[in-house]
């Protein structure tokens, strides 16, 4: 079974550690093993200096100050700290929060936790492209609203929310704005001042850095944002996140951002061209395909596409070695198809048929062509054995059929 | 999802993919499942002198669903129609070593078999439809 070629096209799940990042990390995994909080010896000073350098680099990438960065274990923790921390700190103002149903589970689940503790959550509608309506956001904000949490780039469909506009609306209304920028940090333009962002989550391993490290940007001026911690201990990170700093991870995270910003525009254009090449081939050589997500405002690396009349997991089985993911229920433990596609109004049948491709810095044109060939062949083969494709070709409206579902 | 070798074999070399004439008097058709549930199986049997001489399937679904229906057609061919109903989902699940979350695929295959048999039997119970009017004016 391992005689097939391996092609990684799942870059929204994670990315390969850039070897140059590993080189920068290596001393801190070996000889420079000090604790950045040790103020009494060289080992600690060396670690602290490296962390400070990474902190300044990462802050500069956001248009922020080093003291506004809180290091965490990853974006899930950052999202939890932002949402639980802000809601609990400011509950004197009110207990209302605003978000959208297409957010990552690391945003949805802490919000649901708060809901069970007495907070009220407004879930904004999304349209068929996964975009929110800014007027609906404006009218959803109330005097007791504490926080709006809306992601920058969607991990499944790639749709970008207009965070500058959202930030302006929140600032004018005096409401805190948190954005989960896990998919966009180092890729899309982000400036916390220009975009009026108060809290921002990011992760190392989505941008060719190591796993197990993330950050939360916490605004210190205009307004100064305070958070109730969610874990307690040594008072690290100005008391907001106790726990020994992951020095090699932080150093790698900083280096990863430097590499992303070195030629960001060029790299983004190259990846978008590869994505477009894949999309163009799939759309021109297959019938009954639907691209999900916003076609204009989207991640350069993402392609989410439904191949009608075949089920996603069976397609993945037909392209061994090509690493992609599916919105099909069959690839998850939940037995429910993608909640993101469902929120956009994509039917469950097309959600079951959806595949997410993600290109990366290391993807080559040859890999894209190979993947396209393989996917096209697998789709055709599976459609030959699909009763739904047969019916569609016969002109039968599948919505008019009385199905005997379970 | 890690599949058994048998599931992979049926997925890569499905037996008896295709369609029979659903209007033929000696053909029984079962269509079960729903697109929004992620699986639809069409299973057909052709019966001559009480014996299933051919079976075909088409399936929209995961690898286990494809394998379950492929295996079902293999088991149906050559079987007496009166014995066809004895194929149980548990037999299919066991033969393919389906994991617990995929048991519903074998249940669907059993349902498809039952529906195909019932369709065939209902055609036998009713007198064959008279051929379309012989007296229709030529046009």
């Amino acid at each position: 079974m391992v005689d097939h070629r391996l092609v990684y096209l799942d870059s929204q799940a994670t990315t390969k550690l850039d070897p140059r990042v590993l080189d920068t990390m290596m001393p801190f995994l070996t000889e420079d093993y000090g604790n950045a909080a040790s103020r009494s010896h060289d080992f600690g000073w060396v670690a602290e200096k490296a962390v400070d350098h990474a902190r300044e680099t990462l802050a500069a990438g956001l248009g922020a100050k080093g003291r506004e960065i809180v290091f965490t274990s990853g974006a899930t923790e950052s999202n939890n700290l932002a949402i639980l921390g802000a809601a609990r700190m400011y509950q004197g103002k009110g207990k209302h929060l605003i978000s959208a149903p297409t957010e990552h589970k690391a945003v949805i689940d802490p919000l649901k936790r708060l809901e069970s503790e007495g907070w009220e959550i407004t879930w904004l509608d999304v349209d068929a492209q996964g975009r929110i309506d800014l007027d609906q956001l404006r009218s959803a904000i109330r005097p007791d609203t504490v926080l709006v949490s809306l992601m920058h780039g969607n991990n499944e469909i790639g749709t970008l929310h207009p965070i500058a506009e959202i930030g302006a609306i929140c600032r004018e209304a005096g409401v805190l704005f948190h954005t989960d920028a896990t998919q966009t940090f180092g890729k899309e333009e982000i400036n916390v001042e220009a975009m009026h962002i108060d809290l921002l989550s990011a992760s190392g391993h989505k941008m060719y850095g190591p796993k197990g490290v993330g950050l939360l940007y916490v605004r210190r001026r205009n307004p100064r944002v305070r958070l109730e911690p969610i874990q307690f201990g040594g008072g690290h990170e100005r008391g907001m996140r106790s726990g020994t700093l992951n020095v090699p991870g932080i150093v790698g995270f900083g280096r990863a951002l430097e590499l992303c910003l070195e030629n960001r525009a060029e790299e983004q254009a190259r990846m978008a061209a590869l994505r477009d090449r894949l999309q163009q081939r799939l759309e021109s050589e297959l019938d009954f395909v639907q691209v999900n997500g916003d076609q204009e405002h989207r991640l350069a690396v993402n392609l989410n596409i439904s191949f009608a009349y075949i089920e996603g997991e069976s397609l993945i089985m037909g392209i061994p070695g090509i690493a992609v993911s599916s919105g099909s229920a069959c690839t998850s433990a939940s037995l429910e198809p993608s909640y993101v596609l469902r929120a956009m109004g994509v039917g469950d049948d097309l959600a079951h048929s959806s595949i997410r491709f993600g290109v990366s810095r290391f993807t080559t044109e040859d890999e894209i062509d190979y993947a396209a060939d393989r996917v096209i062949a697998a789709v055709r083969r599976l459609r030959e054995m699909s009763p739904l494709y047969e019916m569609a070709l016969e002109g039968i409206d599948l919505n008019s059929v009385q199905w005997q579902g379970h | 999802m890690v599949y058994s070798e048998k599931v992979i074999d049926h997925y890569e070399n499905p037996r008896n993919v295709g369609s029979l004439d659903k209007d033929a008097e000696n053909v029984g058709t079962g269509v079960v499942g729903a697109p929004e549930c992620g699986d639809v199986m069409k299973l057909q049997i052709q019966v001559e002198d009480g014996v299933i001489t051919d079976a075909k399937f088409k399936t929209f679904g995961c690898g286990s669903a494809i394998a379950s229906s492929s295996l079902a057609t293999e088991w149906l061919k050559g079987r007496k129609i009166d014995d066809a109903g004895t194929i149980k989902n548990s037999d299919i699940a066991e033969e393919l070593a389906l994991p617990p979350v995929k048991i519903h695929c074998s249940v669907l295959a059993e349902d498809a078999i039952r529906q195909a048999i019932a369709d065939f039997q209902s055609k036998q119970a009713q007198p064959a439809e008279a051929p379309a009017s012989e007296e229709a004016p030529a046009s």
Side-chain angles (χ1 to χ4, degrees):
Chain A
M1 271 301 283
V2 243
D3 56 352
H4 45 252
R5 181 176 168 189
L6 291 174
V7 176
Y8 189 77
L9 290 175
D10 201 11
S11 65
Q12 280 99 85
T14 193
T15 54
K16 179 182 171 179
L17 185 73
D18 192 304
R20 295 168 290 180
V21 172
L22 180 61
D23 287 346
T24 312
M25 291 170 67
M26 199 53 97
F28 300 93
L29 290 161
T30 50
E31 293 310 307
D32 297 328
Y33 53 83
N35 185 328
S38 295
R39 298 275 162 77
S40 53
H41 49 66
D42 284 315
F43 292 88
W45 298 328
V46 167
E48 187 186 21
K49 189 174 165 219
V51 166
D52 284 347
H53 176 72
R55 195 187 295 279
E56 293 301 327
T57 303
L58 291 159
L62 293 168
K65 298 278 189 291
R67 285 181 307 170
E68 296 177 303
I69 301 299
V70 173
F71 286 115
T72 66
S73 62
T76 291
E77 187 191 336
S78 300
N79 287 333
N80 273 265
L81 177 56
I83 292 166
L84 299 174
R88 288 173 179 158
M89 178 60 75
Y90 296 105
Q91 57 184 304
K93 183 193 175 194
K95 289 183 140 190
H96 179 237
L97 309 159
I98 298 172
S99 190
T102 47
E103 292 292 311
H104 193 275
K105 288 284 185 191
V107 165
I108 290 177
D109 285 359
L111 286 170
K112 288 198 166 157
R113 173 75 201 200
L114 289 169
E115 199 169 25
S116 74
E117 293 175 8
W119 272 263
E120 191 185 337
I121 320 292
T122 295
W123 300 99
L124 301 175
D125 298 326
V126 296
D127 65 14
Q129 282 73 47
R131 302 199 84 197
I132 60 156
D133 175 0
L134 294 174
D135 287 331
Q136 194 196 12
L137 169 63
R138 271 187 206 96
S139 55
I141 295 173
R142 316 187 308 212
D144 62 340
T145 306
V146 168
L147 178 76
V148 171
S149 182
L150 290 166
M151 72 200 321
H152 191 190
N154 186 280
N155 50 299
E156 281 195 38
I157 51 166
T159 298
L160 296 170
H161 281 327
I163 54 169
E165 283 95 322
I166 294 168
I169 290 167
C170 292
R171 180 60 53 89
E172 196 187 331
V175 175
L176 295 180
F177 172 41
H178 165 247
T179 190
D180 175 1
T182 304
Q183 298 291 343
T184 54
F185 185 41
K187 297 168 191 149
E188 301 292 330
E189 179 73 44
I190 300 176
N191 184 297
V192 292
E193 289 306 324
M195 294 173 163
H196 304 298
I197 295 164
D198 300 307
L199 294 155
L200 177 144
S201 306
S203 173
H205 75 101
K206 308 285 191 188
M207 43 186 279
Y208 319 102
K211 292 171 182 62
V213 65
L215 66 79
L216 179 65
Y217 158 78
V218 185
R219 175 175 290 281
R220 272 178 72 90
R221 285 171 62 87
N222 307 317
R224 180 192 178 98
V225 179
R226 294 163 67 221
L227 300 175
E228 173 84 28
I230 56 174
Q231 76 182 40
F232 303 87
H236 307 76
E237 300 297 87
R238 300 178 312 287
M240 282 189 269
R241 201 277 187 177
S242 288
T244 298
L245 290 177
N246 171 5
V247 178
I250 290 165
V251 167
F253 194 4
R255 180 66 179 138
L257 181 71
E258 281 175 358
L259 294 172
C260 283
L261 297 184
E262 253 174 29
N263 41 21
R264 186 174 70 86
E266 189 186 318
E267 184 164 66
Q268 284 282 93
R270 192 186 75 82
M271 293 192 296
L274 290 175
R275 186 270 315 276
D276 292 344
R277 184 182 179 94
L278 178 62
Q279 178 175 340
Q280 196 274 331
R281 283 208 52 199
L282 298 176
E283 283 188 313
S284 64
E285 295 178 45
L286 293 168
D287 51 3
F288 304 112
V289 299
Q290 173 185 305
V291 176
N292 301 307
D294 193 293
Q295 291 299 284
E296 192 184 344
H297 307 281
R298 62 169 165 169
L299 296 172
V301 297
N302 173 281
L303 175 62
N304 187 309
I305 187 164
S306 292
F307 302 97
Y309 316 126
I310 62 170
E311 194 276 330
E313 194 205 40
S314 70
L315 176 55
I316 288 177
M317 205 174 158
I319 50 170
I322 299 177
V324 296
S325 73
S326 172
S328 159
C330 292
T331 56
S332 70
S334 70
L335 293 177
E336 292 289 319
S338 158
Y339 68 91
V340 172
L341 294 175
R342 184 176 270 186
M344 291 158 59
V346 173
D348 282 359
D349 49 344
L350 281 177
H352 281 295
S353 303
S354 72
I355 298 285
R356 181 185 70 181
F357 298 91
V359 304
S360 79
R361 170 179 294 164
F362 304 106
T363 307
T364 65
E365 197 171 274
D366 182 54
E367 285 178 323
I368 290 292
D369 289 343
Y370 171 76
D373 289 343
R374 295 283 306 281
V375 169
I376 289 163
V379 168
R380 286 183 178 150
R381 188 178 90 86
L382 288 164
R383 280 181 172 170
E384 281 304 306
M385 57 173 114
S386 166
L388 305 180
Y389 187 62
E390 183 181 62
M391 292 166 89
L393 291 184
E394 285 170 9
I396 296 170
D397 176 9
L398 296 179
N399 294 320
S400 70
V401 177
Q402 288 283 330
W403 300 103
Q404 304 185 341
H406 277 226
Chain B
M1 187 65 62
V2 177
Y3 283 111
S4 70
E5 280 180 26
K6 281 179 179 163
V7 169
I8 292 169
D9 179 43
H10 276 281
Y11 172 83
E12 287 180 349
N13 310 291
R15 325 316 189 234
N16 309 307
V17 172
S19 296
L20 300 169
D21 177 8
K22 64 178 185 297
D23 297 324
E25 201 185 318
N26 64 338
V27 169
T29 301
V31 180
V32 296
E36 56 269 30
C37 301
D39 29 36
V40 174
M41 276 181 201
K42 185 183 80 166
L43 192 145
Q44 296 182 300
I45 51 173
Q46 179 178 298
V47 185
E48 281 159 36
D49 301 328
V51 175
I52 297 172
T53 54
D54 202 1
K56 296 279 186 199
F57 84 94
K58 283 202 173 189
T59 290
F60 160 81
C62 64
S64 300
I66 290 169
S68 295
S69 37
S70 170
L71 178 65
T73 58
E74 211 174 30
W75 281 355
L76 284 166
K77 276 172 89 165
R79 201 177 268 249
K80 289 201 177 90
I81 183 75
D82 295 338
D83 294 342
T86 60
I87 297 174
K88 291 279 172 290
N89 79 287
S90 51
D91 301 334
I92 294 170
E94 192 183 324
E95 172 69 14
L96 296 173
L98 295 182
V101 296
K102 297 294 185 184
I103 297 297
H104 74 274
C105 298
S106 62
V107 174
L108 209 59
E110 184 187 315
D111 290 349
I113 294 171
R114 287 181 188 287
Q115 215 188 77
I117 295 169
D119 182 53
F120 168 74
Q121 286 170 342
S122 73
K123 283 183 179 175
Q124 306 309 302
Q126 289 166 5
E129 258 177 58
S133 174
E134 290 167 6
E135 289 147 27
S139 57

